[in-house]
Amino acid sequence: MEEQFKPEETNDQNRIIPVNIEEQMKTAYIDYSMSVIVGRALPDVRDGLKPVHRRILFAMNELGINSNKPYKKSARIVGEVLGKYHPHGDGAVYDSMVRMAQEWSMRYTLVDGQGNYGSQDGDGPAAMRYTEARLQKFAESMLMDIDKETVDFQLNFDDSLEEPTVLPTRIPQLLVNGSSGIAVGMATNILPHNLTEVIDGCVAFIDNREITIEELMQHVKAPDFPTGGIIFGMEGVKAAAHFGRGRVVLRGKLTVDTKSSGREQVIITEVPYQVNRDNLCDRIGQLVNDKIIEGIAHVNNESNKKEGTRIVLDLKRDAIANVIINQLYKHTELQTSYGINNVAIVKGRPRTLNLKDMISEFVEFRHEVVVKRTKYELREAEKRAHILKGYLIALDHLDEVIAMIRASANPEAAKDNLINAGWGLDEIQAKAILELRLQRLTGMERDKIKEEFDELMKLIAHLNELLSNEGMRYDVIKGELLEVKDKFGDVRKTEITYLDNEVRIKDLIKEEDVVITISHLGYIKRTPASEYRQQRRGGRGAIGGKTREEDFIEHLFVASTHHTMMFFTEKGRCYWLNVYEIPEGDKTSKGRAIQNIIQLPPDDKVRAILDVKDLKDEEFVKTHNIVLCTKKGIIKKTALEEFSRPRQTGVNAITIVEGDELLEAKLTDGTSEVMMAVKSGRAIRFNEEKVRATGRGAIGVAGIEVDDENDEVVGMVCVNESEKASHTILVVSEKGYGKRTQIDEYRVTNRGGKGVKTISVTDKTGSLVGILEVNEKEDLMITCRSGVTIRMPVIGISEQGRATQGVKLIRLDDEDEIAAITKMEEFQDPAQETAKVEGVPEEPTADASEDNATNPDPSPSDESNPS
């Protein structure tokens, strides 16, 4: 390699220069690589375009194919680009133009295509002789002011024409549409963003040059893909914003629907960016055939141009949708990661850029464009003002000018005579006067010339002020950016999901009270509490959930969207779920199967739910217990701390003996009194201290005696010392009767006893179905097996003794029964309706004697003879 090339002795010896082959290879390769880097593969930081895209847009502009003009054949455009500016293959040019017209490839398309431009399923476009194109209005904003000497031009490949080195874009194209390319020794992958967010970021940068990247990310939150999807985690996005390199994980968007047959469907409505929908369907089918994913019965791509993406996966009857979805994310392109590598050409050299760099480079380029445009407009205005000044001089000496021109032998002599007439005219003005049409000599035309001259002088003063005032120039840039935002800005297509270790997602969720319902067959949903209007007791109620004939709403309670729900199953397992993760539905919707949200076995069922404000609050966790009771009267107390570390698969909360089921769970502070009630109408009251704390796996101890095989515990309440004065015990029977009773009417005993009568159970009242501790500021919500729900103020339910049967709370249809009761904070709605009681006279809200009047068969008190 060190030996130099030694040519043979020839007559042309003096024309041959010996060189070192190693040096020659190195130089040639560097020249080639820089040519590829600068002239082909990497975008310019200023207009965000590679040369081929810039040449296509410029050629279309030169052809006059604007958004308000007819389409032209793509072959005509490609020929123009090839012949004048881009001496490469026609395929490269046409493919680039097609991509600029595909709404699934570009966040904001630059070319308006007519004809077959391919599809998201991988179909190619028609040949260029069949398709047509014109510029989009969006692209016209990138070419605006190109004729005002705002950018430098260079000679084309054969030095016969000039082409722009950059477009004077008003749009931050590099961030908005992104770019990807592989050069020599380097590559770029800049992801698309939302125009509204990017312009807000640019304006924020103009207002504060010292703005941090964290503050910029308040505006430019994350990439925004043309095909939507969900960004899963922000760590990589933040890294890219700070350092120019990162990684973003994108997931497709799915919904779960239930068919009329009861089977569930997973419907994919958005796929990740650049994912081929047909290939995705084929991949899912292959995974099903290979038994990697089990539970999918059928896959069908129902996507079309009008409705967009729709891939339907029919699930088998026993399949759990949540499990299938996680397998799809794991094994298919439904979850895809993209490497971010923000490399662009800055001042002729490749450079890795962070978010602030890209915005600052664009803003500074816009400043250069505004300065050059202002200088051009000033020159043009001064030229025109100079000529108009000559016109005004000529009109002031009109007769002399006409005589002088008539006396001149030729135009040249006339021009010289005007210059030498002593009126201060120069050659340009004299030429303009000689070319003046006779109609401009009328009085009205003179006024128009004077008016135009005055306007031009104002414009010149404004342009001079603009050139001398940098603040004004940046105000112009801001104004133009906000104009673009108003014209083309839209909402985000891609959602952002933060991982638990990145941000408290609760901070992003609006805090509000919601009603959570769980049906007998295990369907769960949350509904804004405001959807349930208040009614007087005895009303007919409102439909609170559509269910199948054999289904009814079993659990109904109220919680804040910022809280954590703890679900206790009849087999004694505990699961966790944030309230905001529970799917939202309206009052009449069925909801989602709970097995698809938490990993609940098919043979288990949720029995009790606890609403915990914050499991990460150490002081709260250490001072509270969970008290559990079973249908057979077993009670157990365990420290909340043992449940403070959620697991996806759940934990064992209590060991349930054969034939028993977990019924209720309550949160206590260690000083509460426990009350348990049984179906036959008895209740017991004892101190929480009587139940010693045990671990999660323990069985528990006896809480109330349950003798009869048909009898069972229906509820448990835990009352704090501070709540005794303001709270009463509310009991409701299955036929719609209920009442409130003072807590102190129930004497304190040891746990494990029979208890005392809490309601007089008759055929008319039916068995006891629920017990609650309530105050007069709360509302009672009753749900029937038919799905009817009624909400009423607690204060409207009268206080009575333990042994009475209570008053009619809700009028039930034949064969209907009360399924569940719960309480919620009272709120007043001016638009609330008050349902009139059918066949039951309205009573004053707190008059026990009148309530007893509507209760024709009260049982005698059993104070003297407790059960």
Side-chain angles (χ1 to χ4, degrees):
M1 294 293 289
E2 294 299 323
E3 291 182 12
Q4 292 184 340
F5 173 71
K6 295 183 178 180
E8 296 178 9
E9 295 291 330
T10 67
N11 293 333
D12 295 333
Q13 186 174 354
N14 295 332
R15 295 175 59 189
I16 298 172
I17 303 168
V19 294
N20 183 315
I21 191 167
E22 185 180 350
E23 289 300 321
Q24 181 61 27
M25 289 288 287
K26 192 182 293 182
T27 305
Y29 194 73
I30 288 172
D31 289 346
Y32 162 72
S33 64
M34 284 307 296
S35 169
V36 172
I37 289 165
V38 177
R40 191 184 306 175
L42 300 186
D44 192 295
V45 73
R46 297 168 294 176
D47 64 0
L49 297 174
K50 300 177 188 177
V52 64
H53 303 112
R54 190 179 300 120
R55 286 163 176 167
I56 290 168
L57 296 179
F58 179 67
M60 291 176 77
N61 189 57
E62 290 294 288
L63 284 171
I65 322 173
N66 299 103
S67 59
N68 57 352
K69 300 287 176 59
Y71 294 92
K72 265 196 169 63
K73 281 288 183 188
S74 299
R76 171 78 177 84
I77 299 164
V78 171
E80 183 84 1
V81 176
L82 287 181
K84 291 185 175 180
Y85 311 112
H86 198 70
H88 297 272
D90 59 350
V93 176
Y94 184 53
D95 288 348
S96 297
M97 192 185 83
V98 163
R99 190 175 181 279
M100 287 195 287
Q102 291 175 336
E103 57 187 24
W104 59 90
S105 295
M106 301 287 281
R107 182 63 181 82
Y108 301 90
T109 54
L110 303 176
V111 172
D112 179 8
Q114 183 169 263
N116 176 12
Y117 272 77
S119 77
Q120 206 176 333
D121 296 322
D123 303 315
M128 68 179 85
R129 62 183 177 275
Y130 298 117
T131 60
E132 297 179 332
R134 64 183 176 188
L135 285 171
Q136 288 275 23
K137 284 186 179 178
F138 192 82
E140 288 175 4
S141 293
M142 298 184 66
L143 291 151
M144 205 175 286
D145 302 326
I146 197 167
D147 55 348
K148 293 184 178 180
E149 298 178 8
T150 50
V151 292
D152 296 331
F153 277 70
Q154 64 187 14
L155 291 170
N156 70 341
F157 60 89
D158 62 358
D159 294 352
S160 60
L161 295 165
E162 286 193 328
E163 60 174 320
T165 57
V166 67
L167 298 185
T169 176
R170 292 188 177 192
I171 291 164
Q173 158 73 14
L174 185 65
L175 268 170
V176 164
N177 269 326
S179 184
S180 64
I182 300 171
V184 178
M186 63 183 66
T188 185
N189 195 37
I190 303 169
L191 299 181
H193 291 74
N194 183 271
L195 178 69
T196 302
E197 292 182 5
V198 173
I199 287 180
D200 287 343
C202 292
V203 170
F205 173 77
I206 292 169
D207 290 338
N208 174 22
R209 299 305 175 82
E210 303 304 316
I211 191 170
T212 65
I213 292 174
E214 285 290 342
E215 290 169 332
L216 273 177
M217 287 191 73
Q218 298 295 314
H219 304 283
V220 189
K221 298 179 179 67
D224 187 25
F225 298 94
T227 52
I230 302 167
I231 290 173
F232 188 63
M234 285 290 287
E235 189 178 338
V237 174
K238 286 181 179 177
H242 283 83
F243 309 111
R245 297 175 72 92
R247 177 175 168 271
V248 59
V249 177
L250 189 67
R251 287 180 161 184
K253 195 176 285 186
L254 315 114
T255 58
V256 178
D257 196 15
T258 305
K259 296 197 291 186
S260 56
S261 64
R263 288 196 182 188
E264 290 190 317
Q265 292 179 320
V266 174
I267 301 169
I268 302 169
T269 54
E270 292 175 8
V271 297
Y273 185 48
Q274 293 175 334
V275 168
N276 184 312
R277 294 182 303 209
D278 276 348
N279 290 351
L280 177 64
C281 291
D282 292 343
R283 174 64 178 156
I284 294 170
Q286 187 63 45
L287 291 167
V288 172
N289 290 338
D290 294 344
K291 299 196 183 308
I292 294 171
I293 297 180
E294 294 183 350
I296 296 176
H298 187 253
V299 183
N300 190 28
N301 185 1
E302 298 177 5
S303 309
N304 58 51
K305 197 170 184 180
K306 185 179 179 182
E307 295 178 9
T309 299
R310 182 180 166 86
I311 298 170
V312 180
L313 313 179
D314 291 321
L315 304 189
K316 294 177 181 176
R317 192 171 294 280
D318 58 344
I320 298 173
N322 209 36
V323 174
I324 301 290
I325 289 168
N326 286 331
Q327 287 178 324
L328 290 173
Y329 285 144
K330 181 178 180 181
H331 296 293
T332 73
E333 286 187 306
L334 205 57
Q335 176 172 306
T336 308
S337 64
Y338 302 86
I340 303 173
N341 188 21
N342 298 332
V343 179
I345 302 297
V346 182
K347 296 180 176 59
R349 303 184 66 171
R351 188 176 141 203
T352 302
L353 305 157
N354 62 32
L355 178 62
K356 187 174 179 180
D357 291 336
M358 288 192 279
I359 287 175
S360 65
E361 290 290 344
F362 170 74
V363 169
E364 292 312 310
F365 171 61
R366 276 307 296 167
H367 183 256
E368 285 176 28
V369 168
V370 168
V371 169
K372 289 179 178 178
R373 183 183 67 195
T374 306
K375 286 179 178 177
Y376 172 83
E377 288 174 346
L378 180 62
R379 283 197 305 274
E380 294 299 309
E382 286 174 340
K383 282 181 195 174
R384 180 65 179 161
H386 185 62
I387 289 171
L388 291 176
K389 191 174 180 183
Y391 286 169
L392 292 172
I393 291 170
L395 290 171
D396 287 340
H397 303 86
L398 186 57
D399 293 338
E400 296 98 313
V401 168
I402 292 171
M404 194 180 294
I405 291 170
R406 288 184 66 187
S408 301
N410 53 48
E412 194 65 31
K415 182 184 73 175
D416 292 340
N417 290 337
L418 286 171
I419 294 169
N420 298 325
W423 297 323
L425 296 171
D426 61 16
E427 186 174 353
I428 294 169
Q429 290 170 321
K431 272 186 178 179
I433 291 166
L434 289 172
E435 292 168 359
L436 197 64
R437 296 173 67 183
L438 289 175
Q439 73 176 32
R440 302 299 299 273
L441 304 179
T442 61
M444 189 181 291
E445 287 294 317
R446 187 191 188 286
D447 291 342
K448 284 185 181 177
I449 292 169
K450 182 73 172 73
E451 188 180 329
E452 186 184 352
F453 179 75
D454 291 342
E455 287 295 324
L456 275 173
M457 295 312 292
K458 287 180 188 174
L459 177 61
I460 288 167
H462 170 71
L463 293 173
N464 276 318
E465 186 184 3
L466 197 58
L467 284 172
S468 62
N469 188 331
E470 186 180 76
M472 273 185 70
R473 294 197 293 275
Y474 281 107
D475 285 342
V476 168
I477 294 167
K478 272 171 62 176
E480 289 174 351
L481 283 171
L482 293 172
E483 192 180 312
V484 166
K485 174 183 163 182
D486 289 341
K487 201 170 181 181
F488 304 111
D490 59 3
V491 297
R492 280 190 74 86
K493 290 186 175 182
T494 303
E495 292 179 16
I496 300 169
T497 301
Y498 293 85
L499 302 182
D500 289 343
N501 61 348
E502 292 177 339
V503 70
R504 282 174 58 88
I505 195 167
K506 291 175 184 174
D507 297 338
L508 309 173
I509 305 291
K510 178 186 173 186
E511 184 164 11
E512 61 178 349
D513 278 350
V514 290
V515 176
I516 298 168
T517 58
I518 302 177
S519 76
H520 180 69
L521 292 180
Y523 288 89
I524 186 171
K525 68 176 179 186
R526 63 181 166 96
T527 309
S530 56
E531 282 203 23
Y532 290 85
R533 60 182 170 84
Q534 211 177 50
Q535 292 184 349
R536 297 286 294 276
R537 69 170 183 80
R540 295 290 297 180
I543 294 296
K546 285 182 181 174
T547 58
R548 300 188 217 167
E549 282 184 19
E550 68 273 19
D551 200 6
F552 57 89
I553 291 173
E554 192 166 289
H555 300 282
L556 186 147
F557 54 94
V558 179
S560 163
T561 48
H562 280 205
H563 291 185
T564 301
M565 304 312 302
M566 296 176 68
F567 295 86
F568 295 86
T569 70
E570 62 184 26
K571 291 193 174 182
R573 298 283 292 173
C574 174
Y575 298 85
W576 294 261
L577 190 65
N578 292 312
V579 171
Y580 58 78
E581 293 177 313
I582 297 171
E584 192 169 4
D586 60 36
K587 201 165 61 172
T588 58
S589 65
K590 187 167 74 171
R592 281 268 305 279
I594 200 165
Q595 287 95 338
N596 290 332
I597 303 169
I598 57 177
Q599 293 184 12
L600 195 65
D603 59 343
D604 206 355
K605 186 177 178 183
V606 171
R607 280 295 180 193
I609 303 101
L610 280 186
D611 173 17
V612 182
K613 188 171 183 181
D614 190 357
L615 280 172
K616 293 182 180 176
D617 183 343
E618 288 186 17
E619 186 179 346
F620 180 85
V621 166
K622 286 179 179 176
T623 56
H624 282 75
N625 304 308
I626 290 177
V627 175
L628 305 167
C629 84
T630 73
K631 283 191 174 182
K632 295 299 182 184
I634 298 297
I635 190 162
K636 173 174 181 268
K637 183 171 75 173
T638 305
L640 178 60
E641 192 172 8
E642 295 206 23
F643 295 92
S644 61
R645 288 171 290 280
R647 293 185 200 166
Q648 200 169 3
T649 54
V651 297
N652 203 36
I654 181 173
T655 299
I656 299 291
V657 298
E658 191 175 346
D660 200 0
E661 291 177 5
L662 179 69
L663 174 74
E664 191 62 270
K666 295 290 180 185
L667 198 62
T668 66
D669 60 3
T671 62
S672 300
E673 288 183 346
V674 180
M675 289 189 66
M676 299 170 72
V678 292
K679 196 174 177 182
S680 57
R682 290 182 290 112
I684 192 169
R685 173 186 173 197
F686 55 87
N687 289 319
E688 180 189 342
E689 295 170 356
K690 299 286 184 184
V691 184
R692 64 182 180 84
T694 55
R696 284 193 286 105
I699 295 175
V701 294
I704 188 170
E705 190 175 311
V706 181
D707 295 331
D708 190 353
E709 286 185 7
N710 296 322
D711 204 6
E712 61 185 29
V713 177
V714 294
M716 174 183 72
V717 298
C718 297
V719 185
N720 292 329
E721 190 67 36
S722 60
E723 295 174 341
K724 280 185 189 176
S726 59
H727 281 62
T728 51
I729 297 300
L730 172 72
V731 288
V732 178
S733 71
E734 62 186 3
K735 296 288 182 65
Y737 285 82
K739 63 174 179 177
R740 290 187 295 140
T741 306
Q742 289 292 328
I743 295 172
D744 286 337
E745 289 201 28
Y746 299 86
R747 59 189 175 86
V748 179
T749 64
N750 275 328
R751 63 173 179 81
K754 284 182 175 291
V756 295
K757 185 178 283 190
T758 184
I759 189 172
S760 180
V761 172
T762 64
D763 291 341
K764 182 178 176 182
T765 62
S767 301
L768 188 64
V769 293
I771 179 170
L772 297 172
E773 89 284 0
V774 295
N775 65 48
E776 293 185 345
K777 291 184 179 178
E778 291 174 326
D779 287 348
L780 173 67
M781 294 193 74
I782 300 174
T783 305
C784 302
R785 294 180 188 273
S786 60
V788 170
T789 302
I790 187 170
R791 173 176 178 164
M792 65 185 69
V794 163
I795 198 171
I797 303 169
S798 66
E799 288 188 25
Q800 296 183 6
R802 287 188 295 104
T804 57
Q805 67 180 16
V807 295
K808 193 82 168 176
L809 301 181
I810 180 171
R811 186 171 294 281
L812 299 171
D813 292 328
D814 293 340
E815 307 302 323
D816 199 5
E817 292 179 350
I818 289 178
I821 61 170
T822 189
K823 62 180 183 178
M824 65 190 298
E825 290 294 322
E826 181 184 33
F827 68 86
Q828 292 300 324
D829 181 355
Q832 282 168 348
E833 295 180 33
T834 301
K836 293 282 185 182
V837 179
E838 298 180 15
V840 180
E842 292 187 15
E843 298 88 12
T845 54
D847 192 335
S849 63
E850 291 203 27
D851 278 317
N852 281 330
T854 66
N855 183 11
D857 185 28
S859 299
S861 172
D862 63 348
E863 288 295 325
S864 59
N865 183 26
S867 300

